[in-house]
Amino acid sequence: MASNVLTKRTSAPRGNSVRVKPEAEEPQKPKKKGFSLFALLDKYANVDALFEEGVPLKYMPRVLFLTGITLLYIGNTHFAVKTIRQIDKVKVEVEDLRADYSTLKSEYMEASKQSEVARNVAPLGLEESSRPPYQVIVPADEY
């Protein structure tokens, strides 16, 4: 027979029976080991007295207000941390771009020197003139 097939039991169904309550044991006092913040709070802040008659609804507006302020504070902190991370990322990118700019500027300044220009255009058959430039004077009636 397959193990996943349910079979009916032939025994009679269980009837209602009385439960036996376990005897109440005396609570044992826990052994004190050092300093406990919660023990101090329990000792000096009697919070149980506030909740003897149920939840005091007169404090609910204040509790809700403080909860809302706390959520706003947490959200603002997360937003600030995210913004700081973005600023750090942009700072790194700006430093990279500044380094690229300085490199390109120095390469441009080097390439624009007269000797570099003459060397780069020599394969094209161009060479520097050994004569100084002169001014072409056109008479006024000619044009």
Side-chain angles (χ1 to χ4, degrees):
M1 180 183 223
S3 64
N4 62 354
V5 177
L6 295 175
T7 59
K8 291 185 178 180
R9 293 187 178 176
T10 57
S11 64
R14 296 170 77 187
N16 291 339
S17 60
V18 178
R19 286 190 183 172
V20 179
K21 281 188 174 180
E23 293 181 17
E25 297 177 12
E26 293 182 21
Q28 296 177 353
K29 292 184 179 179
K31 297 178 181 176
K32 291 189 177 184
K33 294 182 180 178
F35 174 77
S36 172
L37 177 65
F38 295 111
L40 278 175
L41 285 175
D42 191 34
K43 181 178 178 182
Y44 292 112
N46 191 8
V47 180
D48 293 336
L50 288 175
F51 297 106
E52 284 178 352
E53 298 173 7
V55 178
L57 294 178
K58 66 180 181 180
Y59 297 120
M60 287 307 286
R62 292 179 182 150
V63 168
L64 291 176
F65 176 74
L66 289 175
T67 304
I69 294 293
T70 304
L71 289 175
L72 286 174
Y73 179 74
I74 292 170
N76 188 28
T77 303
H78 284 294
F79 179 73
V81 168
K82 184 174 123 181
T83 305
I84 288 172
R85 287 183 181 154
Q86 288 176 348
I87 288 172
D88 289 341
K89 190 184 293 185
V90 170
K91 276 184 182 179
V92 169
E93 188 175 337
V94 166
E95 288 298 321
D96 290 343
L97 291 174
R98 184 176 290 133
D100 290 344
Y101 168 75
S102 299
T103 304
L104 290 174
K105 184 178 177 182
S106 66
E107 288 175 3
Y108 174 72
M109 295 300 281
E110 180 69 27
S112 64
K113 288 183 180 177
Q114 183 180 355
S115 59
E116 288 295 318
V117 171
R119 188 168 37 123
N120 289 336
V121 297
L124 299 174
L126 299 174
E127 56 185 42
E128 283 186 74
S129 175
S130 57
R131 293 181 295 164
Y134 59 91
Q135 184 176 8
V136 177
I137 300 174
V138 178
D141 62 342
E142 207 171 291
Y143 62 93

